[in-house]
Amino acid sequence: MNLDMQAMYDLVGERLLEIFAAQVVGIAVLDESAGILRFPYAIEKGVRFHDEPMAVFGFRKRVLETREPLLVEVITPEILAEYDQPAAISGEPAKSAVFVPLVVAGRATGVISLQNVDREHAFDDADVRLLTTLAGSLSVALENARLFEETRQRNAELALINDVQRGLAENLEMQAMYDLVGDRLRDIFDAQVVNITVLDQTNGLVSFPYIIEKESDWLPTRWPPIGFRKHVLETREPLLFNAITEELLAEYGQPEVLVGERPKSVGVGPPRRLGEGRPA
């Protein structure tokens, strides 16, 4: 069975919850190019947190630099100061924790953390040894899944490019091109809703030459950019939300529903540049 990367992280995180006396489990992945940590899996007392990238600091920084596990049996103000670690990044402050690096080919690629917010001495050396052993196997499995995902994505990109080139060679009209790309995106991704949004620079309105939800086409409409799309058009950066919460909707000024049903996860791609670099 070939799991995608997120499914792998979810599987690993849930198994760690079963094995250890941890109320908090986090899998942090190092983005070396950006110098930040991403959290494909983070949970506290049954509540999942959506991925909020952060700088590399504190306990995790030490573990990444040394590639050695770190057991903190009692988290005191003095220890927090020594490692330049905030008492709490999100949720409740932990009373004990263990951090173990994910290492591939001698390179630290991430950190697995277990925390307990109620008890000191919740973890011991045996837990560190077991988690270190598991992390070694998990590092290889996650790296293989990452390589598989990169290959899948690259093949999908090439297929989409080939389809667009074929459309251009056949001199397809614009709507036919949108349909061609939209249909291909539906084939590639596990998405129930796919839409292509186009910004009209003359009137500042967006239109949807391709929009579909669960096999149903929606009538084209126009409105000013709002919410997630407005943010992406302004920043020219993608957005990815594995869980859409009320707080997230409020932060971006995004209505719960534009058409159809409310989504539970969403990815919004950046605009392409046309002409003088204006977003399309």
Side-chain angles (χ1 to χ4, degrees):
M1 177 173 59
N2 292 321
L3 298 178
D4 62 23
M5 283 299 295
Q6 188 57 54
M8 282 289 293
Y9 289 123
D10 292 344
L11 180 64
V12 170
E14 289 165 8
R15 182 52 59 91
L16 292 175
L17 279 173
E18 296 173 0
I19 295 174
F20 295 95
Q23 297 165 311
V24 183
V25 173
I27 302 176
V29 178
L30 178 63
D31 184 337
E32 291 185 285
S33 61
I36 59 176
L37 287 170
R38 301 186 182 277
F39 289 82
Y41 189 91
I43 191 168
E44 178 176 325
K45 291 185 175 180
V47 178
R48 282 288 295 267
F49 294 91
H50 63 269
D51 185 6
E52 288 287 352
M54 71 178 190
V56 182
F57 57 81
F59 297 142
R60 293 180 180 86
K61 181 179 180 183
R62 176 66 64 89
V63 169
L64 288 169
E65 289 176 344
T66 63
R67 289 176 295 174
E68 295 290 336
L70 177 63
L71 172 63
V72 189
E73 294 180 304
V74 181
I75 298 179
T76 64
E78 293 75 19
I79 289 178
L80 294 175
E82 176 186 351
Y83 288 91
D84 195 22
Q85 173 72 33
I89 298 172
S90 61
E92 301 178 44
K95 293 187 175 180
S96 56
V98 58
F99 299 82
V100 171
L102 294 169
V103 180
V104 176
R107 180 173 57 90
T109 61
V111 179
I112 295 177
S113 61
L114 309 177
Q115 302 175 41
N116 194 296
V117 301
D118 292 330
R119 289 196 297 122
E120 299 175 347
H121 301 283
F123 310 102
D124 56 24
D125 291 334
D127 291 318
V128 175
R129 288 193 296 271
L130 177 55
L131 185 59
T132 301
T133 300
L134 292 174
S137 300
L138 295 176
S139 296
V140 175
L142 290 171
E143 179 67 5
N144 288 338
R146 184 187 68 80
L147 293 174
F148 174 82
E149 182 68 9
E150 284 185 355
T151 301
R152 186 188 71 84
Q153 290 180 354
R154 182 56 181 161
N155 290 338
E157 290 171 3
L158 291 174
L160 180 56
I161 291 170
N162 289 336
D163 279 351
V164 171
Q165 290 176 336
R166 175 173 59 83
L168 292 173
E170 295 175 0
N171 295 318
L172 296 180
E173 61 178 9
M174 282 301 297
Q175 185 56 52
M177 285 292 292
Y178 287 127
D179 292 342
L180 179 66
V181 172
D183 289 344
R184 171 59 70 173
L185 292 174
R186 291 176 62 205
D187 293 339
I188 293 173
F189 297 99
D190 181 24
Q192 297 171 313
V193 182
V194 175
N195 68 66
I196 300 173
T197 308
V198 177
L199 174 63
D200 187 335
Q201 297 284 348
T202 60
N203 58 27
L205 301 179
V206 293
S207 60
F208 300 86
Y210 187 95
I211 179 169
I212 193 167
E213 175 177 330
K214 291 184 177 180
E215 310 300 331
S216 298
D217 291 307
W218 296 92
L219 295 176
T221 187
R222 292 174 179 267
W223 55 57
I226 57 175
F228 300 145
R229 291 177 181 84
K230 184 174 186 290
H231 178 85
V232 169
L233 286 168
E234 291 175 346
T235 64
R236 293 177 176 169
E237 295 292 336
L239 285 177
L240 171 64
F241 302 119
N242 292 319
I244 297 179
T245 64
E246 298 293 339
E247 294 77 14
L248 199 62
L249 295 173
E251 177 184 351
Y252 286 88
Q254 174 71 28
E256 287 194 13
V257 178
L258 295 176
V259 292
E261 301 178 36
R262 173 180 171 176
K264 293 185 177 180
S265 58
V266 65
V268 186
R272 305 302 299 174
R273 299 188 178 187
L274 301 175
E276 298 179 349
R278 295 174 299 181

